[in-house]
Amino acid sequence: MKKNISLIFLITIVSILSGCANNKGTNTVIKEEIYALGTVIQIQIYDGDEDKAKKAIEESAKRIQEIENKMTVNQEKSEVIQINENSGKNFVQISPDTFYVIEKAKHYSDLTEGAFDLTIEPIVKLWGIGTEHARVPKQEEIDDLLDLVDYKDVILDKNTQQVKLNKKGQAIDLGAIAKGYTGDEVKKILKENGIKTAFVNLGGNVVTLGSKLDGSPWRIGVQNPLDERGKHIAVIEVVDETIVTSGNYERYFMENGKRYHHIIDPKTGYPAEAGIISSTIVTDASIDADALSTSVYVLGLEKGMALIESLENVEAVIVTEDKKIYVTSGLKDRFKLENEEFQLAN
Ligand code: FAD
Ligand code: MG
């Protein structure tokens, strides 16, 4: 599962409890873990009112399940599966949730000229990375499916909230953006319940609410792409922001000494090899961070940096395979390198 961000509270965490508060003190942490979206989702609420926190967590868990049931490609049915089953045939009526996420995914497909492409599912399925039937497909198998990958064939009808895929066999995969959307929705629910300080980790997609209880920023570790989970190369300070990483170490298999990971270059149908081993995005909305982390990974250093520098209020940390780290201008004073094996390159 994606556990690429280790949370580093450089202050000691006060009594983290699973599922209940130990006292009415304001520095109590109420923590819950939920398994959904193929990963472990941690919700940590710093609030003295246990009932309020537990209500917020219950509502969040329900919302997470609702989103998964609509957007998964890993169950019997969902709105996305319905769209895929009707490819080349009919428009499908979907909920505002799914319509919004597909619209955003199409926006990022456009913005990145197809480096991010939500119609990647046939190729993802062919490789099966992260499943027990992961394998290196034959070139002709990839060639047969590649012309199904084209985000311009996703037809959205805003008035009727319907979606259609132009060609039979085309299929949508929201794996690179729907976790981010889920993180934003959980943050919304926590705020609606009056929570001011919280930390949510959806298998590496981190969302923070407010700053830490003492008013200082959250200090989030960036996973060392070349080391085991939890080992970090740097720490980034964030307040009320989200921080999402895509990396080649999250889901992959090795064959003949070569690593095949789950972030596909839609142009080649192979795992992206643009010289990056992890890309981290820091911004306000997690749906944007999620889509951009995948996009930058596929675009590579030059185009990836240029894209992020062109966007308002979005920052990035890019780690290249030669262990160089590139940080965008607005993050420099909140970024601290903590592993001298890596070199800050800009
Ligand atoms: P990201 O970089 O954010 O995304 C990589 C994922 O996006 C790939 O796994 C692929 O699905 C897709 N992708 C690859 N290349 C591109 C590209 N160029 N453009 C656009 N998309 C691309 N995992 C399970 O094991 N079991 C489940 O039941 C399961 N259910 C899920 C349900 C939902 C609604 C979601 C959102 C995810 C679910 N997952 C499940 C996890 C999912 O399969 C992905 O592994 C995960 O979302 C990848 O997230 P990431 O942050 O690691 O990688
Ligand atoms: Mg992503």
PDB file of all heavy atoms in Angstrom, residues 150-177:
ATOM      1  N   ASP A 150      -7.041   7.476 -24.317  1.00  0.00           N
ATOM      2  CA  ASP A 150      -7.135   8.843 -24.847  1.00  0.00           C
ATOM      3  C   ASP A 150      -8.218   9.604 -24.086  1.00  0.00           C
ATOM      4  O   ASP A 150      -9.415   9.407 -24.317  1.00  0.00           O
ATOM      5  CB  ASP A 150      -7.476   8.823 -26.339  1.00  0.00           C
ATOM      6  CG  ASP A 150      -7.455  10.261 -26.894  1.00  0.00           C
ATOM      7  OD1 ASP A 150      -7.367  11.215 -26.079  1.00  0.00           O
ATOM      8  OD2 ASP A 150      -7.528  10.417 -28.130  1.00  0.00           O
ATOM      9  N   TYR A 151      -7.790  10.471 -23.188  1.00  0.00           N
ATOM     10  CA  TYR A 151      -8.735  11.185 -22.302  1.00  0.00           C
ATOM     11  C   TYR A 151      -9.728  12.034 -23.091  1.00  0.00           C
ATOM     12  O   TYR A 151     -10.797  12.376 -22.619  1.00  0.00           O
ATOM     13  CB  TYR A 151      -7.957  12.064 -21.319  1.00  0.00           C
ATOM     14  CG  TYR A 151      -7.197  13.186 -21.979  1.00  0.00           C
ATOM     15  CD1 TYR A 151      -7.760  14.445 -22.135  1.00  0.00           C
ATOM     16  CD2 TYR A 151      -5.910  12.978 -22.484  1.00  0.00           C
ATOM     17  CE1 TYR A 151      -7.076  15.479 -22.769  1.00  0.00           C
ATOM     18  CE2 TYR A 151      -5.213  13.997 -23.125  1.00  0.00           C
ATOM     19  CZ  TYR A 151      -5.792  15.242 -23.268  1.00  0.00           C
ATOM     20  OH  TYR A 151      -5.107  16.246 -23.899  1.00  0.00           O
ATOM     21  N   LYS A 152      -9.341  12.343 -24.377  1.00  0.00           N
ATOM     22  CA  LYS A 152     -10.258  13.189 -25.178  1.00  0.00           C
ATOM     23  C   LYS A 152     -11.539  12.416 -25.539  1.00  0.00           C
ATOM     24  O   LYS A 152     -12.531  12.984 -25.951  1.00  0.00           O
ATOM     25  CB  LYS A 152      -9.532  13.690 -26.427  1.00  0.00           C
ATOM     26  CG  LYS A 152      -8.384  14.648 -26.094  1.00  0.00           C
ATOM     27  CD  LYS A 152      -7.848  15.386 -27.287  1.00  0.00           C
ATOM     28  CE  LYS A 152      -6.624  14.851 -27.957  1.00  0.00           C
ATOM     29  NZ  LYS A 152      -5.622  14.144 -27.286  1.00  0.00           N
ATOM     30  N   ASP A 153     -11.480  11.083 -25.325  1.00  0.00           N
ATOM     31  CA  ASP A 153     -12.677  10.268 -25.615  1.00  0.00           C
ATOM     32  C   ASP A 153     -13.640  10.185 -24.430  1.00  0.00           C
ATOM     33  O   ASP A 153     -14.624   9.458 -24.467  1.00  0.00           O
ATOM     34  CB  ASP A 153     -12.241   8.840 -25.994  1.00  0.00           C
ATOM     35  CG  ASP A 153     -11.723   8.769 -27.429  1.00  0.00           C
ATOM     36  OD1 ASP A 153     -12.275   9.515 -28.274  1.00  0.00           O
ATOM     37  OD2 ASP A 153     -10.783   8.001 -27.686  1.00  0.00           O
ATOM     38  N   VAL A 154     -13.301  10.898 -23.349  1.00  0.00           N
ATOM     39  CA  VAL A 154     -14.222  10.917 -22.181  1.00  0.00           C
ATOM     40  C   VAL A 154     -15.183  12.087 -22.401  1.00  0.00           C
ATOM     41  O   VAL A 154     -14.780  13.245 -22.402  1.00  0.00           O
ATOM     42  CB  VAL A 154     -13.456  11.122 -20.860  1.00  0.00           C
ATOM     43  CG1 VAL A 154     -14.427  11.160 -19.674  1.00  0.00           C
ATOM     44  CG2 VAL A 154     -12.420  10.013 -20.665  1.00  0.00           C
ATOM     45  N   ILE A 155     -16.442  11.756 -22.677  1.00  0.00           N
ATOM     46  CA  ILE A 155     -17.427  12.812 -22.991  1.00  0.00           C
ATOM     47  C   ILE A 155     -18.269  13.100 -21.742  1.00  0.00           C
ATOM     48  O   ILE A 155     -18.913  12.197 -21.203  1.00  0.00           O
ATOM     49  CB  ILE A 155     -18.368  12.364 -24.153  1.00  0.00           C
ATOM     50  CG1 ILE A 155     -17.579  11.669 -25.274  1.00  0.00           C
ATOM     51  CG2 ILE A 155     -19.180  13.545 -24.683  1.00  0.00           C
ATOM     52  CD1 ILE A 155     -16.537  12.535 -25.952  1.00  0.00           C
ATOM     53  N   LEU A 156     -18.202  14.350 -21.288  1.00  0.00           N
ATOM     54  CA  LEU A 156     -18.946  14.723 -20.068  1.00  0.00           C
ATOM     55  C   LEU A 156     -20.120  15.613 -20.469  1.00  0.00           C
ATOM     56  O   LEU A 156     -19.937  16.598 -21.182  1.00  0.00           O
ATOM     57  CB  LEU A 156     -18.027  15.529 -19.146  1.00  0.00           C
ATOM     58  CG  LEU A 156     -16.874  14.786 -18.476  1.00  0.00           C
ATOM     59  CD1 LEU A 156     -15.813  15.772 -18.001  1.00  0.00           C
ATOM     60  CD2 LEU A 156     -17.371  13.993 -17.298  1.00  0.00           C
ATOM     61  N   ASP A 157     -21.318  15.268 -19.990  1.00  0.00           N
ATOM     62  CA  ASP A 157     -22.480  16.150 -20.235  1.00  0.00           C
ATOM     63  C   ASP A 157     -22.880  16.786 -18.905  1.00  0.00           C
ATOM     64  O   ASP A 157     -23.516  16.150 -18.054  1.00  0.00           O
ATOM     65  CB  ASP A 157     -23.652  15.332 -20.800  1.00  0.00           C
ATOM     66  CG  ASP A 157     -24.852  16.254 -21.113  1.00  0.00           C
ATOM     67  OD1 ASP A 157     -24.933  17.338 -20.476  1.00  0.00           O
ATOM     68  OD2 ASP A 157     -25.669  15.900 -21.978  1.00  0.00           O
ATOM     69  N   LYS A 158     -22.437  18.061 -18.729  1.00  0.00           N
ATOM     70  CA  LYS A 158     -22.603  18.742 -17.439  1.00  0.00           C
ATOM     71  C   LYS A 158     -24.086  18.898 -17.091  1.00  0.00           C
ATOM     72  O   LYS A 158     -24.482  18.715 -15.947  1.00  0.00           O
ATOM     73  CB  LYS A 158     -21.938  20.112 -17.502  1.00  0.00           C
ATOM     74  CG  LYS A 158     -21.215  20.491 -16.198  1.00  0.00           C
ATOM     75  CD  LYS A 158     -20.387  21.748 -16.356  1.00  0.00           C
ATOM     76  CE  LYS A 158     -20.023  22.319 -15.011  1.00  0.00           C
ATOM     77  NZ  LYS A 158     -19.052  21.534 -14.220  1.00  0.00           N
ATOM     78  N   ASN A 159     -24.905  19.146 -18.088  1.00  0.00           N
ATOM     79  CA  ASN A 159     -26.340  19.387 -17.790  1.00  0.00           C
ATOM     80  C   ASN A 159     -27.008  18.148 -17.212  1.00  0.00           C
ATOM     81  O   ASN A 159     -27.781  18.229 -16.293  1.00  0.00           O
ATOM     82  CB  ASN A 159     -27.092  19.823 -19.065  1.00  0.00           C
ATOM     83  CG  ASN A 159     -26.448  21.075 -19.645  1.00  0.00           C
ATOM     84  OD1 ASN A 159     -25.950  21.895 -18.885  1.00  0.00           O
ATOM     85  ND2 ASN A 159     -26.393  21.167 -20.974  1.00  0.00           N
ATOM     86  N   THR A 160     -26.701  17.020 -17.786  1.00  0.00           N
ATOM     87  CA  THR A 160     -27.372  15.778 -17.332  1.00  0.00           C
ATOM     88  C   THR A 160     -26.526  14.982 -16.343  1.00  0.00           C
ATOM     89  O   THR A 160     -26.977  13.960 -15.835  1.00  0.00           O
ATOM     90  CB  THR A 160     -27.625  14.866 -18.555  1.00  0.00           C
ATOM     91  OG1 THR A 160     -26.316  14.544 -19.103  1.00  0.00           O
ATOM     92  CG2 THR A 160     -28.480  15.538 -19.612  1.00  0.00           C
ATOM     93  N   GLN A 161     -25.275  15.452 -16.082  1.00  0.00           N
ATOM     94  CA  GLN A 161     -24.346  14.701 -15.189  1.00  0.00           C
ATOM     95  C   GLN A 161     -24.184  13.270 -15.715  1.00  0.00           C
ATOM     96  O   GLN A 161     -24.277  12.282 -14.988  1.00  0.00           O
ATOM     97  CB  GLN A 161     -24.888  14.646 -13.754  1.00  0.00           C
ATOM     98  CG  GLN A 161     -24.990  15.992 -13.057  1.00  0.00           C
ATOM     99  CD  GLN A 161     -23.672  16.513 -12.451  1.00  0.00           C
ATOM    100  OE1 GLN A 161     -23.073  15.870 -11.593  1.00  0.00           O
ATOM    101  NE2 GLN A 161     -23.204  17.644 -12.940  1.00  0.00           N
ATOM    102  N   GLN A 162     -23.964  13.194 -17.035  1.00  0.00           N
ATOM    103  CA  GLN A 162     -23.746  11.866 -17.630  1.00  0.00           C
ATOM    104  C   GLN A 162     -22.365  11.824 -18.275  1.00  0.00           C
ATOM    105  O   GLN A 162     -21.835  12.866 -18.685  1.00  0.00           O
ATOM    106  CB  GLN A 162     -24.821  11.587 -18.690  1.00  0.00           C
ATOM    107  CG  GLN A 162     -26.208  11.418 -18.084  1.00  0.00           C
ATOM    108  CD  GLN A 162     -27.239  11.030 -19.136  1.00  0.00           C
ATOM    109  OE1 GLN A 162     -27.045  11.294 -20.328  1.00  0.00           O
ATOM    110  NE2 GLN A 162     -28.321  10.394 -18.694  1.00  0.00           N
ATOM    111  N   VAL A 163     -21.824  10.629 -18.360  1.00  0.00           N
ATOM    112  CA  VAL A 163     -20.481  10.437 -18.940  1.00  0.00           C
ATOM    113  C   VAL A 163     -20.543   9.282 -19.930  1.00  0.00           C
ATOM    114  O   VAL A 163     -21.266   8.297 -19.705  1.00  0.00           O
ATOM    115  CB  VAL A 163     -19.455  10.085 -17.839  1.00  0.00           C
ATOM    116  CG1 VAL A 163     -18.091   9.746 -18.440  1.00  0.00           C
ATOM    117  CG2 VAL A 163     -19.302  11.248 -16.871  1.00  0.00           C
ATOM    118  N   LYS A 164     -19.770   9.436 -21.012  1.00  0.00           N
ATOM    119  CA  LYS A 164     -19.682   8.329 -21.977  1.00  0.00           C
ATOM    120  C   LYS A 164     -18.240   8.220 -22.467  1.00  0.00           C
ATOM    121  O   LYS A 164     -17.541   9.231 -22.600  1.00  0.00           O
ATOM    122  CB  LYS A 164     -20.610   8.615 -23.165  1.00  0.00           C
ATOM    123  CG  LYS A 164     -20.583   7.509 -24.215  1.00  0.00           C
ATOM    124  CD  LYS A 164     -21.390   7.867 -25.444  1.00  0.00           C
ATOM    125  CE  LYS A 164     -21.141   6.849 -26.576  1.00  0.00           C
ATOM    126  NZ  LYS A 164     -21.558   7.395 -27.873  1.00  0.00           N
ATOM    127  N   LEU A 165     -17.781   6.986 -22.679  1.00  0.00           N
ATOM    128  CA  LEU A 165     -16.458   6.763 -23.296  1.00  0.00           C
ATOM    129  C   LEU A 165     -16.702   6.458 -24.760  1.00  0.00           C
ATOM    130  O   LEU A 165     -17.499   5.582 -25.095  1.00  0.00           O
ATOM    131  CB  LEU A 165     -15.752   5.591 -22.600  1.00  0.00           C
ATOM    132  CG  LEU A 165     -15.489   5.791 -21.087  1.00  0.00           C
ATOM    133  CD1 LEU A 165     -14.875   4.536 -20.469  1.00  0.00           C
ATOM    134  CD2 LEU A 165     -14.603   6.991 -20.855  1.00  0.00           C
ATOM    135  N   ASN A 166     -15.999   7.162 -25.612  1.00  0.00           N
ATOM    136  CA  ASN A 166     -16.285   7.070 -27.054  1.00  0.00           C
ATOM    137  C   ASN A 166     -16.111   5.679 -27.655  1.00  0.00           C
ATOM    138  O   ASN A 166     -16.923   5.217 -28.431  1.00  0.00           O
ATOM    139  CB  ASN A 166     -15.337   8.020 -27.804  1.00  0.00           C
ATOM    140  CG  ASN A 166     -16.108   9.201 -28.356  1.00  0.00           C
ATOM    141  OD1 ASN A 166     -17.346   9.156 -28.355  1.00  0.00           O
ATOM    142  ND2 ASN A 166     -15.393  10.214 -28.797  1.00  0.00           N
ATOM    143  N   LYS A 167     -14.999   5.035 -27.262  1.00  0.00           N
ATOM    144  CA  LYS A 167     -14.668   3.764 -27.930  1.00  0.00           C
ATOM    145  C   LYS A 167     -14.961   2.555 -27.032  1.00  0.00           C
ATOM    146  O   LYS A 167     -14.693   2.584 -25.823  1.00  0.00           O
ATOM    147  CB  LYS A 167     -13.165   3.730 -28.276  1.00  0.00           C
ATOM    148  CG  LYS A 167     -12.742   4.687 -29.358  1.00  0.00           C
ATOM    149  CD  LYS A 167     -11.239   4.504 -29.665  1.00  0.00           C
ATOM    150  CE  LYS A 167     -10.679   5.747 -30.363  1.00  0.00           C
ATOM    151  NZ  LYS A 167      -9.416   6.190 -29.756  1.00  0.00           N
ATOM    152  N   LYS A 168     -15.480   1.516 -27.627  1.00  0.00           N
ATOM    153  CA  LYS A 168     -15.696   0.240 -26.904  1.00  0.00           C
ATOM    154  C   LYS A 168     -14.341  -0.261 -26.375  1.00  0.00           C
ATOM    155  O   LYS A 168     -13.331  -0.151 -27.058  1.00  0.00           O
ATOM    156  CB  LYS A 168     -16.286  -0.775 -27.891  1.00  0.00           C
ATOM    157  CG  LYS A 168     -16.678  -2.089 -27.230  1.00  0.00           C
ATOM    158  CD  LYS A 168     -17.712  -2.872 -27.994  1.00  0.00           C
ATOM    159  CE  LYS A 168     -17.996  -4.187 -27.251  1.00  0.00           C
ATOM    160  NZ  LYS A 168     -18.067  -4.012 -25.749  1.00  0.00           N
ATOM    161  N   GLY A 169     -14.365  -0.732 -25.101  1.00  0.00           N
ATOM    162  CA  GLY A 169     -13.117  -1.253 -24.531  1.00  0.00           C
ATOM    163  C   GLY A 169     -12.355  -0.204 -23.732  1.00  0.00           C
ATOM    164  O   GLY A 169     -11.461  -0.521 -22.957  1.00  0.00           O
ATOM    165  N   GLN A 170     -12.740   1.094 -23.911  1.00  0.00           N
ATOM    166  CA  GLN A 170     -12.070   2.112 -23.091  1.00  0.00           C
ATOM    167  C   GLN A 170     -12.527   1.981 -21.640  1.00  0.00           C
ATOM    168  O   GLN A 170     -13.627   1.480 -21.369  1.00  0.00           O
ATOM    169  CB  GLN A 170     -12.396   3.527 -23.626  1.00  0.00           C
ATOM    170  CG  GLN A 170     -11.619   3.833 -24.902  1.00  0.00           C
ATOM    171  CD  GLN A 170     -11.826   5.256 -25.396  1.00  0.00           C
ATOM    172  OE1 GLN A 170     -12.963   5.686 -25.588  1.00  0.00           O
ATOM    173  NE2 GLN A 170     -10.713   5.959 -25.598  1.00  0.00           N
ATOM    174  N   ALA A 171     -11.654   2.427 -20.710  1.00  0.00           N
ATOM    175  CA  ALA A 171     -12.019   2.301 -19.279  1.00  0.00           C
ATOM    176  C   ALA A 171     -11.301   3.374 -18.460  1.00  0.00           C
ATOM    177  O   ALA A 171     -10.138   3.699 -18.737  1.00  0.00           O
ATOM    178  CB  ALA A 171     -11.663   0.914 -18.762  1.00  0.00           C
ATOM    179  N   ILE A 172     -12.030   3.885 -17.474  1.00  0.00           N
ATOM    180  CA  ILE A 172     -11.520   4.935 -16.580  1.00  0.00           C
ATOM    181  C   ILE A 172     -10.938   4.309 -15.314  1.00  0.00           C
ATOM    182  O   ILE A 172     -11.481   3.324 -14.792  1.00  0.00           O
ATOM    183  CB  ILE A 172     -12.686   5.880 -16.181  1.00  0.00           C
ATOM    184  CG1 ILE A 172     -13.082   6.792 -17.334  1.00  0.00           C
ATOM    185  CG2 ILE A 172     -12.353   6.705 -14.963  1.00  0.00           C
ATOM    186  CD1 ILE A 172     -14.294   7.660 -17.004  1.00  0.00           C
ATOM    187  N   ASP A 173      -9.856   4.905 -14.832  1.00  0.00           N
ATOM    188  CA  ASP A 173      -9.243   4.479 -13.562  1.00  0.00           C
ATOM    189  C   ASP A 173      -8.968   5.757 -12.771  1.00  0.00           C
ATOM    190  O   ASP A 173      -8.210   6.611 -13.240  1.00  0.00           O
ATOM    191  CB  ASP A 173      -7.933   3.739 -13.883  1.00  0.00           C
ATOM    192  CG  ASP A 173      -7.139   3.401 -12.619  1.00  0.00           C
ATOM    193  OD1 ASP A 173      -7.358   4.034 -11.570  1.00  0.00           O
ATOM    194  OD2 ASP A 173      -6.313   2.484 -12.683  1.00  0.00           O
ATOM    195  N   LEU A 174      -9.590   5.913 -11.607  1.00  0.00           N
ATOM    196  CA  LEU A 174      -9.414   7.137 -10.801  1.00  0.00           C
ATOM    197  C   LEU A 174      -8.414   6.924  -9.664  1.00  0.00           C
ATOM    198  O   LEU A 174      -8.402   7.686  -8.683  1.00  0.00           O
ATOM    199  CB  LEU A 174     -10.776   7.594 -10.272  1.00  0.00           C
ATOM    200  CG  LEU A 174     -11.803   7.966 -11.357  1.00  0.00           C
ATOM    201  CD1 LEU A 174     -13.153   8.342 -10.729  1.00  0.00           C
ATOM    202  CD2 LEU A 174     -11.319   9.090 -12.272  1.00  0.00           C
ATOM    203  N   GLY A 175      -7.569   5.895  -9.818  1.00  0.00           N
ATOM    204  CA  GLY A 175      -6.603   5.561  -8.764  1.00  0.00           C
ATOM    205  C   GLY A 175      -5.625   6.673  -8.443  1.00  0.00           C
ATOM    206  O   GLY A 175      -5.090   6.745  -7.343  1.00  0.00           O
ATOM    207  N   ALA A 176      -5.405   7.586  -9.396  1.00  0.00           N
ATOM    208  CA  ALA A 176      -4.390   8.634  -9.182  1.00  0.00           C
ATOM    209  C   ALA A 176      -4.984   9.931  -8.667  1.00  0.00           C
ATOM    210  O   ALA A 176      -4.269  10.917  -8.487  1.00  0.00           O
ATOM    211  CB  ALA A 176      -3.660   8.904 -10.495  1.00  0.00           C
ATOM    212  N   ILE A 177      -6.282   9.964  -8.416  1.00  0.00           N
ATOM    213  CA  ILE A 177      -6.889  11.244  -8.021  1.00  0.00           C
ATOM    214  C   ILE A 177      -7.983  11.110  -6.963  1.00  0.00           C
ATOM    215  O   ILE A 177      -8.206  12.030  -6.172  1.00  0.00           O
ATOM    216  CB  ILE A 177      -7.453  11.945  -9.293  1.00  0.00           C
ATOM    217  CG1 ILE A 177      -7.886  13.393  -8.994  1.00  0.00           C
ATOM    218  CG2 ILE A 177      -8.581  11.137  -9.933  1.00  0.00           C
ATOM    219  CD1 ILE A 177      -8.192  14.232 -10.215  1.00  0.00           C
TER     220      ILE A 177
END
